[in-house]
Structures are given as structure tokens and as C-alpha cells.
Amino acid sequence: MTFLVIFFISLLSTIFLTPYLIMVLQKSGVIDAPAKRKIHQGSIPRMGGLVIFLVVFTLTLTFYSDISSIRFFLLGMIVIAICGSIDDVIGIKWNTKFLLQSIAVALLMLQLINQINEIHFFSIVLPAYVAFPLMFIFLLGTINSVNLMDGMDGLVSSYSLFTASVLFLLAMNINNFFLLVILSAICGSLLGYLKFNGFPARVFLGDFGSLFLGYLLVALSSMVSIGFNNNTLDLAFPILLLSIPIIDTLKVFFKRIFLGKHPFLPDNEHLHHIIYRNRVRHKTTVFLILIYNLMFVGLAVYYILNRNLDVFYFYLPIVLGLIFAKQIFEFSLRFEKFQGIIKSLTQIPAEMFRVTYKIFVPFTIAAVLLITFILFPLQTEINQQNLIIMLSLGVITLVLAIFHKRYNHQLILNIYFFFNVSIFLIVSSYPNSLFKLSYLFSTNVKFALVLVSLIVVLLFIGLFVVGRERILPKEKIFLTGIDLTMAVFVIGSFFVENLFENLLIINIPQAIFIAYLLYIWFKIIYLFNSKLASVIFITSFLVPITALAYLLLTKLI
């Protein structure tokens, strides 16, 4: 439950903060102007990664109490952020940039060395005089490879989101609370950020964002490797997982040296440039790279779970395909059939959104009905007098809602829905917390179903956030100031719960949080089908009133 809360707070905070950051960057002149090797045409604000840094850093400090155990990791984050911010604002020479990055990597190594006994590469045990220099080169090189990958709208953001999601699922298996906290914050923030960074981008990550994400990905993938290997760092896993930026950078690096060029200067020979030059659309280029990345991710997950060295035989041909991507594309495009395949792929992202929306709407309705059925009402310690008061308030609220509905006060109707769902969840779950992540793996099937249903609703909300422009006109506002105010109230309830652990409000924040999720879900459903939303709205009154009446009858009998 904690990680769902972190994800949601991170998502919402990024969505609300990014427009203000865009405005500040524009006024400050921190913009990326068009250039020969760049794809975008207009001037776009850069250093948008600042919002991801602020959200992730703040939530990590808030929800993870043992800060001293991650102090070197946090210091490395700050140094890499300073390096990126200087580069974005005033520019920085490559040697100064290298120095600051080296300091950040040294701090990260101090963090990792405290957790490991040995360093392996596949089954090879590396001696210290080889392991530590190799580890330094790997960490530094990977951070820069992610930075160099940032050449298209949404590419590094979507790549990082996918990779962080995989790491989160793996971290669940090693029960590392720090990894789960920071990865849930990263996933939520990146999902919210993609709303502004996806093509056509309104803001760029900048060196700040790409270096910061590179630092996070290499650090956290290394920590996951350590967790799976009993305090042994197997470099094979992060290398397999992050192969797209690593191999692409190495290919370009050695090609520059072979041609007698400076290896650290930028050019347009990276994978995304090669695909885009071959008459492939922007969105399809990003989509193709993410699809190709699936093979590396699959091999990395298979390796860390099975320790099977046969993975190398599958890895080699995939790497060769990446190295010779230019030649493969140029040769393939000679054939009309391949061009037809590429053209079909350009339609996949849009079709995915349309089909997924059609599927998800009934699925989420079924999920909400399942939650209602399972939680109707379990047990409660609310006394008879309070039940009568709550029931009376429910009836009065229903009368007021009918009056407001006649005048179509949609904002007020949404708040009524939130109030009704909150009351139902409080009387259903009090005093037990039903929304723990452990239920997903427990033998208690009905509580596992509740959690799965909530995840379905959350995925639907996330999908809407990413593809909102495909449904709503650009001028149409979905989340308003009242939504932010309510979100602050929900977040604040968790802090109050932690401060006053013995009060009767224990576990009520969880119910309010789920109610807020369903409130956002209800707003989305209203956009699809206002008549269906009206039925759901009326039902939201009937369910808590019926639940309260049932509980009152059990008390009287």
C-alpha cells in the first residue's frame, strides 16, 4: 500500500509541478535551440529533469527513515544533479563534466562497496585490482550512455520508466524497502513527466535529467543485482539490462576513434538517429527502440532469476543487430514489404490507446464492482449512535446531491462521489488495513483480488495521463485546483496517522487514498460516457447507505 501511495503522490506532484517549471525555464532562458544534429524545430525548455529529481529526492527522504544508510548514494545524486544543472544553464567543458561525474561515481561506489563482498562478471570472480577500476568505468560509462541516448522526445523518459518498472518487480522479490520506495517514486514521476516530454515535447530532460536518470538506473540495477546474489555484485545483470545505451555508445565511441574524430563530441550516429533518418516517424522510432529493448530486458530477468550462462548465446546476435542497425535498415528498406511493416508499426501506438481504452473501461468498472462486493461490509467497531449519525448524513447528502444534479454542478457532484466512497471504505475496512502489498502473495484470495482490482484502476489512470491529448482537446482541463487541494488533504492524512498512532483515525488514510483513486477514475469515466457516470454516481450513494443500514441492523438485532 505504501508503494501505491508513493507512486500516486509522485505521479500527481509531477503533473502539477511540471507546467510551472516549464514557465520558469522559459522566462529564465534555459532553452534548447534548434541545431543541425537536433531533431526538434523550435526552442524547447530544457532541464525538465529537475522536477523528477525534486519529486524522487523528497519522497525518498519522506518515506525512507534510515537516511544514513544511503548517504553516499544521495550525495552522488546531488553531485550529478549539480553537474547536469551547470551544463544546462551555462554550459560546461567535457573535462570539468568528467570530473564532477567521477566524484558522483566515487560516492556511488562507496555506497555499493559497503553492501558487497565480491564482484563477479557472469561466473568469473574478479580480483580487487580488476574489479574496482572496471566497476568505476562501467558506472561512469553507463551514466554517460544514457545521457547520449537522449536525442528524441520521450525516448530516455519512456526507456527509464520501463526499466524502473522491471527493477521494481524484481525488488519485490528481495524485499528491499529502500529500492521499492525510490523505484515507485521514479515510476510515478516518469509517468507524469511523459505527459509533457512525449512527442511533441513541451520540455526536455536536459543533461540534468538524462544524467540523473542514468545515475539512478545504473545504481539501482546494481543494487538489485546485489540483493539477488547475497551481497555479491554481478555486473552481468546491469550490463544486460542497460545494453541499449551501453552498446550504442560503445559503437559510436569506437567509430569516432577509427575515423580520427574526438570520441567525446556529439554527432548523429546513434541508434535513434539511424532509424529516424530512414523515413521512420518520431513516435515509431521511440516505439521500435523500446520493443527491441524488450529482448535485452527479457535476457536480464532470465539471467538474474536462473543464473544460466546460456543467456550469452542469445545475447550476442541481439547485440550484433544493434551494432549493424544502420546497414540492416538501409538494406531492408529496399524491399516494399519491409516498408509496409514499418508503416503498420506507425499505427500501433495510436491503435494501442484506442483498443486499450475500450477494454479498460469495462474492466475498471468490473474491478470497482468487485472491490465493492468483497468489502461490503466486513466488520466494524463503530457504535450504534455513530452509525445512526452517519446514515442520517448519507440520506441528507443524497437529497442535496439530487438538488445539485438538477443544476448540473459537476464539481460538486464529483466531491459527493469522493465523500460516498470514503464513507463506504471506512466502514468496510475499519479497523483492519486491507490494502497491504503482501496480500497479493497471500492465501487470502479476496484481499488479493481487491489489490489486483486497485492496480487495474491505477493502470487505467496512468494510461489516461499518458494519452490524455488523444481524448481531450488541448484546452480542456482535467485536473483542477480542487483536485490538488484534495490530494494534499489525502497526503496529509498519512502524516497525521504517523504522528498520532493511537488515535481512532488509524487506517482511515488508506481508505481516503483509495477513495481519491476512484474519484479520479470516476472523472475519467464521465469523459467517456456521462450517462454511465450518472448511474455510477447514484450507486455511490446507495452502496454506503445500504452498508450503514446493514451494520445498524446487525447492532440492533
Side-chain angles (χ1 to χ4, degrees):
M1 178 62 189
T2 301
F3 311 120
L4 283 175
V5 173
I6 295 171
F7 175 88
F8 182 74
I9 295 172
S10 179
L11 171 68
L12 203 64
S13 300
T14 304
I15 290 173
F16 276 109
L17 290 174
T18 304
Y20 294 102
L21 177 63
I22 292 173
M23 193 165 47
V24 170
L25 293 174
Q26 287 174 331
K27 290 181 178 179
S28 304
V30 184
I31 56 175
D32 199 339
K36 184 178 180 180
R37 64 176 295 272
K38 295 178 181 179
I39 296 172
H40 66 279
Q41 301 300 318
S43 296
I44 309 293
R46 63 175 181 263
M47 210 169 89
L50 176 61
V51 72
I52 302 173
F53 173 82
L54 292 174
V55 169
V56 172
F57 192 79
T58 302
L59 288 177
T60 301
L61 294 181
T62 302
F63 285 90
Y64 188 73
S65 57
D66 190 10
I67 301 301
S68 62
S69 66
I70 56 169
R71 61 188 183 279
F72 293 119
F73 170 80
L74 294 177
L75 287 172
M77 277 177 58
I78 294 170
V79 172
I80 207 74
I82 292 171
C83 175
S85 60
I86 295 173
D87 200 11
D88 281 334
V89 176
I90 60 174
I92 187 173
K93 292 183 178 180
W94 72 267
N95 49 359
T96 307
K97 191 174 184 178
F98 178 81
L99 175 62
L100 289 172
Q101 290 174 352
S102 298
I103 295 171
V105 168
L107 290 167
L108 177 57
M109 286 186 67
L110 287 174
Q111 179 69 46
L112 296 175
I113 288 170
N114 289 333
Q115 303 175 18
I116 60 178
N117 300 320
E118 291 180 331
I119 299 176
H120 292 184
F121 181 68
F122 287 104
S123 59
I124 303 171
V125 180
L126 301 175
Y129 63 87
V130 174
F132 293 121
L134 181 62
M135 183 179 176
F136 180 87
I137 293 170
F138 163 69
L139 295 174
L140 182 63
T142 303
I143 292 171
N144 279 285
S145 70
V146 175
N147 176 230
L148 294 172
M149 185 183 181
D150 187 26
M152 298 193 81
D153 298 357
L155 177 57
V156 168
S157 304
S158 53
Y159 174 82
S160 301
L161 173 60
F162 184 76
T163 305
S165 302
V166 172
L167 289 173
F168 178 84
L169 294 175
L170 290 172
M172 288 173 63
N173 290 275
I174 57 177
N175 198 28
N176 187 313
F177 186 72
F178 164 68
L179 286 176
L180 292 172
V181 166
I182 192 169
L183 285 167
S184 54
I186 292 169
C187 290
S189 185
L190 284 171
L191 183 61
Y193 184 74
L194 271 170
K195 168 181 164 55
F196 306 94
N197 185 234
F199 180 81
R202 293 169 54 190
V203 63
F204 291 153
L205 283 168
D207 281 334
F208 187 111
S210 56
L211 288 173
F212 174 62
L213 288 174
Y215 178 89
L216 289 178
L217 292 180
V218 72
L220 300 177
S221 59
S222 298
M223 291 179 188
V224 168
S225 179
I226 293 168
F228 267 91
N229 292 286
N230 299 319
N231 297 326
T232 295
L233 172 58
D234 188 348
L235 292 174
F237 170 71
I239 289 174
L240 287 169
L241 186 68
L242 304 173
S243 285
I244 287 276
I246 292 172
I247 300 300
D248 187 49
T249 299
L250 287 174
K251 179 194 71 173
V252 174
F253 182 85
F254 287 112
K255 183 178 180 179
R256 289 173 188 165
I257 293 177
F258 179 76
L259 295 174
K261 297 180 180 179
H262 196 298
F264 295 107
L265 294 179
D267 63 13
N268 57 355
E269 290 300 318
H270 289 281
L271 178 62
H272 52 273
H273 291 120
I274 292 170
I275 299 174
Y276 188 70
R277 278 202 307 265
N278 283 280
R279 303 190 301 277
V280 180
R281 292 181 183 179
H282 193 296
K283 290 181 180 179
T284 308
T285 301
V286 174
F287 182 71
L288 286 173
I289 293 173
L290 294 179
I291 291 296
Y292 198 78
N293 182 56
L294 278 173
M295 293 186 282
F296 289 112
V297 170
L299 291 177
V301 172
Y302 177 80
Y303 175 75
I304 200 170
L305 294 178
N306 298 283
R307 312 288 198 283
N308 193 327
L309 297 181
D310 290 342
V311 74
F312 182 76
Y313 299 111
F314 297 94
Y315 180 71
L316 184 59
I318 301 173
V319 168
L320 289 175
L322 181 58
I323 292 173
F324 295 102
K326 181 179 180 180
Q327 290 78 6
I328 292 171
F329 258 89
E330 290 177 351
F331 176 78
S332 300
L333 285 173
R334 297 176 186 176
F335 302 96
E336 292 184 8
K337 187 175 181 180
F338 184 78
Q339 292 180 19
I341 293 172
I342 293 295
K343 188 175 180 180
S344 299
L345 286 172
T346 63
Q347 306 301 321
I348 289 179
E351 287 299 322
M352 283 178 60
F353 274 107
R354 283 194 287 268
V355 172
T356 308
Y357 280 132
K358 290 180 181 179
I359 294 174
F360 255 96
V361 169
F363 258 88
T364 55
I365 292 174
V368 173
L369 288 174
L370 183 62
I371 293 171
T372 305
F373 177 77
I374 291 176
L375 299 184
F376 187 93
L378 295 174
Q379 58 179 342
T380 181
E381 294 181 0
I382 301 175
N383 59 41
Q384 181 178 323
Q385 182 180 359
N386 288 334
L387 283 173
I388 293 172
I389 294 172
M390 293 174 73
L391 182 58
S392 302
L393 285 173
V395 173
I396 294 170
T397 305
L398 175 59
V399 173
L400 290 172
I402 293 172
F403 173 78
H404 282 119
K405 189 168 177 57
R406 290 174 55 191
Y407 296 96
N408 199 28
H409 293 168
Q410 189 57 45
L411 176 61
I412 298 175
L413 299 183
N414 291 340
I415 295 174
Y416 278 135
F417 179 85
F418 172 73
F419 175 78
N420 291 334
V421 176
S422 298
I423 294 298
F424 171 71
L425 291 173
I426 289 170
V427 299
S428 296
S429 62
Y430 185 87
N432 298 316
S433 178
L434 302 179
F435 309 110
K436 295 180 180 178
L437 198 61
S438 58
Y439 282 128
L440 191 59
F441 309 100
S442 72
T443 55
N444 196 323
V445 177
K446 61 181 181 180
F447 289 163
L449 286 173
V450 169
L451 186 57
V452 170
S453 299
L454 290 172
I455 291 172
V456 169
V457 173
L458 192 59
L459 287 173
F460 176 67
I461 294 172
L463 184 69
F464 176 82
V465 168
V466 174
R468 186 182 72 91
E469 283 75 12
R470 298 177 184 271
I471 300 173
L472 296 180
K474 289 185 178 180
E475 65 275 6
K476 181 75 173 179
I477 298 174
F478 176 66
L479 293 176
T480 62
I482 191 67
D483 298 322
L484 177 59
T485 304
M486 292 170 65
V488 171
F489 168 73
V490 174
I491 296 167
S493 66
F494 281 92
F495 293 106
V496 173
E497 181 190 42
N498 292 330
L499 289 174
F500 303 101
E501 295 184 356
N502 295 321
L503 294 182
L504 293 177
I505 62 169
I506 278 293
N507 297 324
I508 290 181
Q510 286 89 336
I512 296 175
F513 169 71
I514 300 302
Y516 189 78
L517 276 183
L518 296 178
Y519 160 79
I520 298 296
W521 166 81
F522 174 73
K523 291 189 67 174
I524 298 172
I525 294 296
Y526 184 83
L527 295 173
F528 285 104
N529 191 326
S530 58
K531 292 182 179 179
L532 176 61
S534 296
V535 174
I536 296 172
F537 175 73
I538 297 298
T539 307
S540 74
F541 284 92
L542 299 178
V543 171
I545 288 174
T546 306
L548 288 166
Y550 172 82
L551 290 171
L552 184 58
L553 284 173
T554 58
K555 295 282 185 182
L556 294 174
I557 295 173

